[in-house]
Amino acid sequence: MKNINLHNVAERFLFTQPDPVEISGIYCTYCVDSPVPAVKSCLMCEASLCEKHLRVHSKSSEHVLSDPSTSLKKRKCSVHKKILEYYCTEDSACICVSCSLVGEHQGHRVEILDEASEKKKGKPMASADLKDELLCSICLHTYTDAVMLRCGHNFCRVCIDCVLDTQDESGVYTCPECREEFQERPALIKNINLHNVAEHLLFTQPDLVEISGICCTYCVDSPVPAV
């Protein structure tokens, strides 16, 4: 069972952190007899180099060196096969020089990729896009007592209970997010990790604490958050 919201939160968090693969465990591509730790990777050659092979490697400006990495192909443009050196802020995409000059990102505002990456790493975990992942789609507030349906979508316990109560009469239960149907009233699975993340956000962002998850008594056809 995939926990969709927690997966998205983890993905956003990892995007702001240094790649753990690049810290250690990368070996020189050319040391085939015995593994030797790499000190640099060449994006042009898509190879990792130890100190010995780095000394004899091409010094051409086209051979861009980076910290050791196993994901070198991801640093090349899939269209122009050139190194991704820039970040398009308008499309939130990593691009090469050709994308910027003659490609679909021509005329867009761009930043040097390494500088953009440093800015991303400096962002606090509770950034605007992360907050969006912690919003209940029913009450549109930060989760309180987060629970999950079998389809993987998460809601405040009170909010989803409100929705399921209105579906009791028809006997047809559906997820408000993906509309997956359940033959019987679905069990609510407490999402401990997502609950803890939401609690931490509310603790560090007191302005987000609002009364939420309470539905209007008179809106019997479809639940509407009470104000």
Side-chain angles (χ1 to χ4, degrees):
M1 183 188 303
K2 183 174 182 177
N3 191 326
I4 296 173
N5 292 84
L6 193 60
H7 168 79
N8 292 342
V9 169
E11 284 288 301
R12 293 184 187 279
F13 177 74
L14 288 175
F15 183 73
T16 65
Q17 306 303 305
D19 185 356
V21 176
E22 296 185 0
I23 295 175
S24 61
I26 312 299
Y27 297 101
C28 178
T29 306
Y30 304 108
C31 292
V32 293
D33 294 328
S34 60
V36 177
V39 293
K40 289 292 180 181
S41 290
C42 176
L43 303 183
M44 173 63 72
C45 301
E46 295 184 3
S48 296
L49 311 162
C50 65
E51 288 188 7
K52 175 183 174 182
H53 286 102
L54 180 62
R55 285 197 294 268
V56 296
H57 190 68
S58 173
K59 301 299 188 292
S60 169
S61 60
E62 293 181 346
H63 290 258
V64 178
L65 299 176
S66 72
D67 290 333
S69 173
T70 57
S71 55
L72 299 175
K73 289 185 178 180
K74 295 180 182 178
R75 293 292 302 269
K76 281 191 176 182
C77 175
S78 59
V79 177
H80 303 107
K81 308 304 178 184
K82 293 185 178 180
I83 297 170
L84 300 173
E85 298 180 85
Y86 302 96
Y87 180 76
C88 176
T89 57
E90 295 185 28
D91 295 327
S92 299
C94 300
I95 63 175
C96 71
V97 64
S98 293
C99 291
S100 177
L101 296 178
V102 296
E104 60 181 279
H105 300 275
Q106 184 178 6
H108 290 187
R109 184 169 176 266
V110 300
E111 297 178 353
I112 296 175
L113 185 57
D114 289 341
E115 294 179 0
S117 177
E118 287 302 316
K119 289 181 181 178
K120 288 285 185 182
K121 292 175 185 177
K123 280 188 176 181
M125 184 178 175
S127 57
D129 52 357
L130 181 59
K131 290 177 186 177
D132 289 343
E133 296 296 341
L134 297 175
L135 292 183
C136 170
S137 61
I138 298 175
C139 66
L140 302 180
H141 294 311
T142 305
Y143 292 118
T144 55
D145 194 10
V147 293
M148 180 175 64
L149 296 179
R150 290 199 304 271
C151 58
H153 289 107
N154 299 270
F155 309 93
C156 301
R157 181 182 294 276
V158 174
C159 292
I160 190 60
D161 266 334
C162 223
V163 172
L164 297 176
D165 286 345
T166 64
Q167 297 175 348
D168 275 337
E169 188 174 344
S170 66
V172 178
Y173 301 97
T174 60
C175 169
E177 287 259 6
C178 65
R179 300 300 175 187
E180 179 177 334
E181 291 192 6
F182 306 99
Q183 293 183 346
E184 57 185 22
R185 182 166 178 144
L188 303 179
I189 306 166
K190 186 173 179 65
N191 194 331
I192 298 175
N193 294 89
L194 192 63
H195 169 78
N196 291 342
V197 173
E199 286 287 300
H200 177 76
L201 176 64
L202 290 173
F203 181 76
T204 57
Q205 306 280 320
D207 58 307
L208 295 178
V209 179
E210 301 181 41
I211 298 176
S212 61
I214 310 301
C215 299
C216 176
T217 306
Y218 304 104
C219 293
V220 293
D221 295 327
S222 60
V224 175
V227 295

